[in-house]
Amino acid sequence: MPSQLSAQPSATNPADLPATELLALYARRALSPVAVAEAVIARAEASEPALHALYAFAPEQALAAARASEARWMRGEALPLDGVPVTIKENVATEGVPMPLGTAARDDAPPSPADAPAAARLREDGTVIVARTTMPDYGMLSSGLSSFHPLTRNPWNLAKGPGGSSAGSGAAAAAGYGPLHLGTDIGGSIRLPASWCGVVGLKPSHGRVPLDPPYYGRCAGPLTRTVADAALMMRTLSRPDARDPTALPPSDLPWDDLDGLDLTGLRLGLVMEAGAGLPLDPANRAVVEAAARLLAEAGAVVEPVPAFLTQAMLDGLDLFWRQRASLDIEALEEARRARVLPFIRDWAAGGQSLSGAAVFHGMSQMAAMRDAALAAIRPFDFLIGPVSPNPPFPAEHASPTNDPARAMAHIAYTVPFNMSEQPAIAVPAGFTPDGLPVGLQIAGRRFDDVGVLRLARAFETIRPALRPWPVVG
């Protein structure tokens, strides 16, 4: 059936339009979901030979979904996100697509029998699923290095990595593979690639977005180019699902109420020193300090907060995660173990033969981080600070240190908020002298997801103009 809607609204490539604008254009019959899907597919086909952000790229299925969406719009039966392109991280199940978890040890993973909660909500609301996105082995690296997927690169500089473990999601968002991208985060895996790719990345309150299966600190959330698109996506993702026993009670939150936050007198705690891990790079420090000054000039009360994470907390959690990974890897037959990325095997080996006391102590550090983070925010409305201590690093490296003995040295700013179950967002704040993106992290009190989005939106309106989006391919 030929399209009955306009091909495109202007000279702007439809692949670059935010979801909020797409929905308005669809409603006026000024743009077709088919034209948008075609633009996103063309962008991906041009960029993927260099970027490698996608897994299970399905252009024909996406076009079929876009045609069905166009028909609903024409009938006046549009769904909440009807016709908006989306990508979904590989470790979030979609029916009929294998889920290798980024590792060649699972290169024969069977097709998933059903959509995971977040994928189900996106499909129910009419999104056009373009592809899944890449991740490193088991999601345990902040890079695009994987034994299963091709090496994912950063659109701003192909010599750099996008971060991870939502590597493909961050790269796809920055490269303009449509407006909405779903990632997961257990220690920074949404916020780190968002910062290094210059996009918005929200780690919601734990339980706000139902998961299957849930795990300590693990969340699913949006990576987008705008705060409004992240909020729009959360309206869908946060709907209940009985499969997650840790999910929060259903809440009708005002996801659309982003504008109008009065910064006057807002109490912001500025966390510049993490207390553990890598030192803060001067370029990242300069961008975050400039962001804090902008908020203070707009009326917020910005006060320094001493470091609240300790090296003992970070080391303990690292040992606990190593022990869990070593159990998973040792359970594999020898041939499969050999396919796991060597860096991951070396890192996990540090968890072998730990005593029960050591494992218990490591696990207890999650509670220690929780208590420290919640104590730090108590005098404030929000905490602000860096997302990462360093700019993007070489694409071929498994982590900023590229050292299994210090694999978690870069997550000290992000991981406490996973353990404390607080919402935290990365929002683009500026660039290094080399032109690489730097994000500002905003963390809110537990369950104040809308508040975090509102402050991020307020910052978005006062920050200096960002550089044009990168063009790949």
Side-chain angles (χ1 to χ4, degrees), residues 49-226:
L51 206 58
H52 300 300
L54 300 184
Y55 163 67
F57 181 37
E60 292 305 318
Q61 293 178 27
L63 287 171
R67 287 190 286 270
S69 171
E70 180 182 74
R72 288 191 294 272
W73 280 102
M74 296 302 297
R75 294 195 304 267
E77 299 174 356
L79 300 165
L81 291 176
D82 222 325
V84 178
V86 66
T87 71
I88 297 174
K89 188 177 177 181
E90 186 248 281
N91 66 341
V92 179
T94 55
E95 183 178 0
V97 180
M99 192 168 63
L101 301 180
T103 179
R106 289 172 49 91
D107 58 4
D108 57 353
S112 297
D115 287 340
R121 299 296 87 77
L122 290 168
R123 201 187 298 274
E124 290 164 2
D125 277 5
T127 61
V128 172
I129 300 175
V130 176
R132 307 286 290 283
T133 49
T134 59
M135 59 182 282
D137 289 52
Y138 300 106
M140 292 309 298
L141 294 177
S142 294
S143 80
L145 185 63
S146 163
S147 63
F148 178 82
H149 300 294
L151 179 63
T152 306
R153 296 180 179 274
N154 192 316
W156 293 93
N157 183 334
L158 294 176
K160 305 295 184 180
S165 62
S166 303
S169 302
Y177 291 9
L180 304 183
H181 307 272
L182 179 69
T184 64
D185 190 316
I186 197 172
S189 289
I190 288 173
R191 290 157 291 159
L192 289 166
S195 178
W196 289 325
C197 291
V199 300
V200 174
L202 173 67
K203 182 209 79 66
S205 296
H206 188 87
R208 181 70 68 201
V209 175
L211 299 175
D212 182 27
Y215 193 75
Y216 304 111
R218 184 171 179 253
C219 298
L223 291 100
T224 60
R225 286 183 170 186
T226 69

Side-chain angles (χ1 to χ4, degrees), residues 276-277 309-322 361-362 365 369 405-406 408:
L309 188 76
T310 67
Q311 192 64 48
M313 293 176 190
L314 191 60
D315 289 345
L317 181 65
D318 181 39
L319 276 182
F320 178 71
W321 280 351
R322 287 174 188 247
H361 174 73
Q365 299 312 300
M369 287 186 195
R406 297 188 298 149
M408 304 299 163

Side-chain angles (χ1 to χ4, degrees), residues 20 32 74 81 84 121 161 163 255 260 288 322 340 353 359 463:
T20 51
S32 163
M74 296 302 297
L81 291 176
V84 178
R121 299 296 87 77
W255 299 109
V288 173
R322 287 174 188 247
V340 176
S353 304
V359 174
R463 75 181 174 207

